[in-house]
Amino acid sequence: MTDPFDLTDDDLDAAPGDPETPPPEPPWLAGLNPEQRRAVETLDGPVLVLSGAGTGKTRVLTTRIAHILHLRRAQPWRVLAVTFTNRAAREMRERLAAMIGPVAESVWLGTFHALSLRMLRRHAEKVGLRDGFSILDADDQLRLLKQLMVDANMDPKRDPPKALMGRIQRWKDRGLTPDRVPDADAREGAARRARELYTRYQTRLLELNACDFGDLLLHTLAILQAHPDIAAEYQRKFDYILVDEYQDTNVAQYLWLRLLAAGHRNLCCVGDDDQSIYSWRGAEVGNILRFDTDYPGAAVVRLERNYRSTPTILGAAAGLIRHNTDRLGKDLIAAGAAADDPDVRKVTVRGLWDGEAEARWVVEEIEALGHEMRGSGNGTGNAAAGTAILVRATFQMREFEDRLMTCGVPYHVIGGPRFYERLEIRDALAYLRLVAQPDDDLAFERIVNTPKRGLGETSLQTLQIMARAAGIPLLAAARDLAASDELKPRARTALGAFVADVDRWRALVGGMPPSEVCATILEESGYAAMWKADKSPEAPGRVENLEELVGAVAEFETLDAFLEHIALVMETESKGAAAGVTLMTLHAAKGLEFDVVFLPGWEEDLFPHKRALDEGGQASLEEERRLAYVGLTRARTRAFVSFAANRRIFNNWQASMPSRFVDELPDAFVDKTSDTGLYGAVTAGFAEEFGGWGTRHPRRTLAAGSGGSAGRVAPGTGTWKVRDRSGDGQGIRVGQRVFHQKFGYGTVQSAEGGKLAVNFEKAGRKTVVAGFVEPA
DNA sequence: ATTACAAACATTTTT
DNA sequence: TGTTTGTAAT
């Protein structure tokens, strides 16, 4: 297979094809609506396509590329199309190939990271990396950082490595090398220490001839900035640049694009500010918000015709997202069913007693819909699945899994630990890496004593000191050490044998297919045997995974090719469509669509998540709201929102209030009182039995018009029935004995913001909403 | 060097 | 509640 990214044999300065005879209008333009057509046909200069959910974003991107090529405005290899995920890149390439055939292979199409890596491989020496540098994954990064912390005598209690790593990554997201981190960002103690550590970290990476994900962009950026000749070369190479999911770009990516587009400014960015949900990973919504300031004269195209969802779903979503202030402002128009279509159902909103009841209800609804549940992929990559349950946090998944399993409803979970992140796979990969790259110290450390070879702390310490003193890789040091008599005989023999093994395996590379090399290593190292002998319940699965790994290696010609691939693509290609209900986080659902979507857990403190609010305030609230918006707009025909009054989190019960987002859904599009009357009955039951929702969020007041008359269902408005407990459990004092329906009798320990901490006699200490208890 | 137990902690995670 | 992480004991 030819490498579509290989620059080396391209003619960087090839002239664009001559536009002699414009071919007849191709069929693909005909199917576009006027806005899409404008987005496709506005070829020159900067273009921003604001593409709302379900408005045909990918279609516009692929058609635009096809159009450019069709008009001979550029050769395929002079078009650069950037995505965030491998999935998006794959989908785009497939759809492009369907339009224009195999020539689609030549387009420079890939993720920011994959494309950066191609450039970086060519110019690695400019940033101090040598040929064949390796790419660390999250696990390696953290282990490296921890080592550096130990060296620097830092206390992991005071500075959690993960937090420090996070800071470093955020700096990298902003395109900041250690020397460029502003003092203002490193004033406070932890930040100052993080910056120092950042410097050491980068130094150590170069020593290891390695870089992390962030570096792929950062180094490339540094090269383009420091070497105008190289920058100019790429600026001339690409005639047209297209970017997907522009709202998710971070500063480094923004600068990367700006540099590459600096010449002709033929930059087309597609995105939706309302779907920006990754700011916590460094994404800057600001990039899309100020596109036309950055690129004066930019054409802005709004795609607002939604081909996915019903008018009610869109209406509900629009009502919600209207509460955000920092928006470019788009309104989705349903292109499908009319608003008065009797088949169009409102969004169902349902309150339930607890998480378990919620799960039960959701699965009942799924069964009642009797929906023909198809898998999550339909071949074209445009995911069209049956039903999905979208949760805010992964811990919510369990309850649904339990219930689905009990009811025998087929389901699958998306997300969770990925194949290449599993322990046994990472270990196996470390073997392969060490064989392919003798100076990969991190790989060496990982597996010297896995399986156990009797090489402990002390032996390895000796080895580390020796390697560092001599400035050589650990494997080389191990070879020397095994030949000396510094170690105890037992350790020396073990180390010698290990080095000999690695040498022997390396000799195999090239002589036999990489999958056989892999299998041999796993056998001879005793690693496979280690898991086969393991009696723990997960061991058989691990053995299977190892076999699967050997199968995955078989897809590649060389070991290096395989290792390079997995460094960038941390997932195995999904094999066929998984059946049944899809269970995943809201974040994972972006870009997908389903006939029916369930959105459970719409409760204050869970969604919007308390921690997000604590950390990021108003901006985070808006991001949470966008997440809710993304969730709703995944649905084609039906959406179900639910919340529970009580939720067990980490073994203790938390009383919870409906999310403010529930109130923000416009009544006109929402069924808070279902037509069977069930919903109303349950609410009434709640009110009756448990004192109603009692207190709303302390910082919120009831919807206008019902504030003074809580306790009454305003006719036709669907307002929640609320019983006024004369304000936030007034009259309940600390030390008072109270009664709670679920927990029984207890004593109030503290009261704050309408919530009480109560020490229950049977149930222990819980936090409950004041409205749920009564004086005993 | 390895095992065992307790203590801490638990949003989201495209590459 | 389940997992992961660190320490203590063998």
Side-chain angles (χ1 to χ4, degrees):
Chain A
M1 179 177 117
T2 61
D3 183 346
F5 299 128
D6 195 349
L7 242 187
T8 48
D9 53 10
D10 280 349
D11 178 0
L12 284 174
D13 296 306
D18 55 335
E20 23 173 77
T21 38
E25 179 164 305
W28 54 67
L29 284 179
L32 300 179
N33 68 39
E35 300 81 37
Q36 290 174 327
R37 199 168 167 132
R38 204 176 136 235
V40 166
E41 291 184 322
T42 311
L43 292 180
D44 296 316
V47 181
L48 176 65
V49 181
L50 294 170
S51 176
T55 55
K57 164 182 75 105
T58 308
R59 181 166 188 195
V60 163
L61 276 167
T62 48
T63 310
R64 186 178 164 94
I65 298 174
H67 192 60
I68 289 167
L69 300 180
H70 182 76
L71 293 181
R72 311 273 163 110
R73 297 287 288 262
Q75 298 291 343
W77 56 87
R78 296 175 61 103
V79 173
L80 176 69
V82 198
T83 65
F84 269 85
T85 64
N86 293 302
R87 192 189 84 205
R90 200 186 321 131
E91 176 178 344
M92 209 183 287
R93 193 175 300 277
E94 279 166 10
R95 287 172 65 166
L96 191 59
M99 272 191 259
I100 62 170
V103 74
E105 284 297 318
S106 317
V107 174
W108 269 63
L109 195 163
T111 63
F112 277 102
H113 294 86
L115 295 165
S116 291
L117 177 61
R118 292 302 155 177
M119 300 185 196
L120 190 55
R121 287 265 183 234
R122 277 187 84 209
H123 307 287
E125 79 289 348
K126 296 278 193 297
V127 286
L129 286 169
R130 284 162 282 129
D131 247 16
F133 61 83
S134 49
I135 303 161
L136 305 192
D137 60 31
D139 201 77
D140 288 329
Q141 289 175 46
L142 208 59
R143 285 194 306 139
L144 183 59
L145 196 77
K146 280 180 187 164
Q147 283 179 11
L148 293 172
M149 286 180 70
V150 172
D151 292 350
N153 262 323
M154 291 172 71
D155 178 8
K157 286 252 165 60
R158 189 172 61 168
D159 294 305
K162 274 193 186 141
L164 292 176
M165 197 71 235
R167 284 178 192 269
I168 293 176
Q169 268 162 351
R170 292 295 82 77
W171 281 324
K172 290 192 174 186
D173 288 337
R174 288 162 59 195
L176 298 170
T177 46
D179 51 302
R180 296 239 190 108
V181 173
D183 289 338
D185 274 24
R187 296 180 57 129
E188 158 240 350
R192 194 170 35 77
R193 291 190 293 276
R195 184 168 66 172
E196 282 163 22
L197 205 56
Y198 183 17
T199 313
R200 293 162 194 261
Y201 176 76
Q202 291 304 104
T203 310
R204 186 83 186 109
L205 279 178
L206 289 183
E207 285 168 13
L208 291 167
N209 194 29
C211 67
D212 64 21
F213 276 113
D215 287 337
L216 294 177
L217 278 150
L218 206 55
H219 284 325
T220 306
L221 197 56
I223 292 168
L224 292 174
Q225 284 169 339
H227 302 275
D229 51 321
I230 298 176
E233 188 180 295
Y234 285 104
Q235 284 162 2
R236 263 178 283 122
K237 167 165 173 63
F238 299 119
D239 294 318
Y240 290 93
I241 301 176
L242 298 90
V243 189
D244 190 18
E245 305 277 21
Y246 188 65
Q247 79 282 353
D248 286 337
T249 50
N250 60 34
V251 173
Q253 288 156 340
Y254 164 82
L255 294 170
W256 189 96
L257 287 168
R258 203 175 67 175
L259 264 166
L260 289 178
H264 46 61
R265 300 204 316 157
N266 290 334
L267 175 67
C268 174
C269 295
V270 179
D272 180 1
D273 52 313
D274 289 335
Q275 291 187 67
S276 163
I277 55 176
Y278 281 109
S279 75
W280 49 277
R281 286 205 85 211
E284 291 278 343
V285 215
N287 288 349
I288 195 168
L289 296 178
R290 43 155 228 272
F291 185 86
D292 52 0
T293 343
D294 289 336
Y295 296 93
V300 178
V301 183
R302 282 183 153 75
L303 303 182
E304 296 176 300
R305 294 193 205 200
N306 175 294
Y307 295 91
R308 179 186 297 156
S309 311
T310 64
T312 50
I313 289 167
L314 293 180
L320 181 79
I321 201 68
R322 246 196 305 276
H323 288 83
N324 275 4
T325 51
D326 285 336
R327 308 177 59 215
L328 291 168
K330 272 185 284 52
D331 283 307
L332 294 180
I333 303 149
D340 53 1
D341 187 329
D343 288 337
V344 169
R345 303 283 300 271
K346 291 186 175 184
V347 173
T348 303
V349 177
R350 182 80 138 87
L352 295 119
W353 171 239
D354 62 9
E356 198 192 325
E358 186 182 45
R360 210 178 311 124
W361 174 73
V362 166
V363 177
E364 271 165 24
E365 288 291 333
I366 289 174
E367 287 177 316
L369 283 165
H371 207 271
E372 178 207 335
M373 279 168 283
R374 282 166 293 151
S376 62
N378 65 0
T380 67
N382 191 8
T387 303
I389 304 171
L390 308 180
V391 296
R392 172 69 245 262
T394 42
F395 74 79
Q396 292 172 266
M397 287 186 184
R398 173 174 298 161
E399 248 160 349
F400 290 99
E401 284 200 69
D402 284 351
R403 192 63 200 160
L404 289 162
M405 219 171 326
T406 315
C407 298
V409 176
Y411 74 94
H412 63 276
V413 176
I414 304 237
R418 284 176 296 177
F419 185 71
Y420 290 111
E421 281 170 2
R422 292 183 187 166
L423 175 87
E424 67 278 13
I425 299 302
R426 297 185 37 74
D427 284 341
L429 288 174
Y431 275 99
L432 298 179
R433 277 164 54 189
L434 186 60
V435 167
Q437 272 293 330
D439 48 2
D440 193 330
D441 282 0
L442 289 161
F444 180 94
E445 279 169 35
R446 190 176 178 101
I447 45 134
V448 241
N449 203 30
T450 313
K452 303 274 183 284
R453 296 187 174 89
L455 292 162
E457 189 92 23
T458 40
S459 320
L460 294 180
Q461 208 121 50
T462 318
L463 181 64
Q464 288 279 6
I465 291 164
M466 191 178 154
R468 213 161 284 191
I472 56 174
L474 287 172
L475 185 67
R479 194 174 285 117
D480 294 347
L481 192 60
S484 77
D485 53 2
E486 297 233 3
L487 289 180
K488 297 208 187 94
R490 241 204 332 247
R492 200 176 72 181
T493 319
L495 193 60
F498 179 68
V499 174
D501 280 342
V502 175
D503 287 342
R504 185 158 34 79
W505 296 326
R506 181 166 316 113
L508 299 176
V509 176
M512 58 167 76
S515 61
E516 278 181 47
V517 176
C518 180
T520 308
I521 293 175
L522 291 177
E523 277 313 313
E524 295 187 0
S525 63
Y527 189 76
M530 177 183 98
W531 286 117
K532 282 174 190 155
D534 193 304
K535 294 186 299 294
S536 62
E538 68 271 15
R542 298 197 193 269
V543 174
E544 261 176 56
N545 286 337
L546 290 174
E547 282 159 7
E548 199 177 328
L549 176 71
V550 175
V553 179
E555 307 281 313
F556 292 82
E557 305 266 325
T558 68
L559 195 56
D560 286 336
F562 171 74
L563 289 172
E564 176 107 358
H565 173 79
I566 59 118
L568 289 175
V569 185
M570 289 297 286
E571 56 183 27
T572 41
E573 303 287 314
S574 53
K575 292 177 198 147
V581 176
T582 306
L583 187 51
M584 62 175 141
T585 63
L586 286 159
H587 282 92
K590 195 173 70 155
L592 304 177
E593 65 178 51
F594 303 90
D595 284 335
V596 180
V597 167
F598 286 88
L599 301 164
W602 282 39
E603 295 138 35
E604 282 296 310
D605 293 355
L606 175 59
F607 192 35
H609 200 281
K610 187 171 189 302
R611 229 164 111 171
L613 265 46
D614 288 347
E615 283 165 19
Q618 181 67 21
S620 291
L621 172 63
E622 298 210 350
E623 181 150 315
E624 295 282 301
R625 193 177 279 116
R626 290 194 290 269
L627 200 50
Y629 175 80
V630 166
L632 276 171
T633 53
R634 297 309 94 196
R636 278 207 284 262
T637 57
R638 299 290 307 271
F640 296 80
V641 170
S642 59
F643 56 89
N646 294 286
R647 196 170 285 280
R648 196 173 51 182
I649 300 175
F650 314 134
N651 203 28
N652 60 340
W653 286 91
Q654 291 285 142
S656 46
M657 289 169 287
S659 168
R660 65 192 78 190
F661 299 154
V662 169
D663 294 338
E664 291 171 5
L665 298 172
D667 290 334
F669 303 112
V670 167
D671 238 349
K672 289 178 180 169
T673 51
S674 83
D675 41 11
T676 61
L678 196 75
Y679 169 76
V682 166
T683 312
F686 269 170
E688 182 92 10
E689 199 178 343
F690 305 115
W693 300 110
T695 56
R696 309 296 293 211
H697 192 275
R699 288 189 295 277
R700 290 184 302 148
T701 51
L702 290 169
S706 61
S709 55
R712 174 177 63 84
V713 175
T717 64
T719 304
W720 293 103
K721 178 165 183 173
V722 175
R723 175 180 297 166
D724 191 356
R725 281 260 167 186
S726 49
D728 296 5
Q730 298 276 322
I732 300 214
R733 300 180 312 276
V734 172
Q736 188 172 359
R737 191 173 145 83
V738 293
F739 176 76
H740 185 276
Q741 276 291 327
K742 187 150 191 155
F743 308 134
Y745 292 95
T747 315
V748 178
Q749 302 296 302
S750 65
E752 192 188 339
K755 287 196 178 184
L756 307 174
V758 181
N759 209 359
F760 288 104
E761 281 147 28
K762 294 237 173 63
R765 194 186 158 90
K766 314 284 178 204
T767 313
V768 296
V769 174
F772 284 83
V773 301
E774 53 191 56

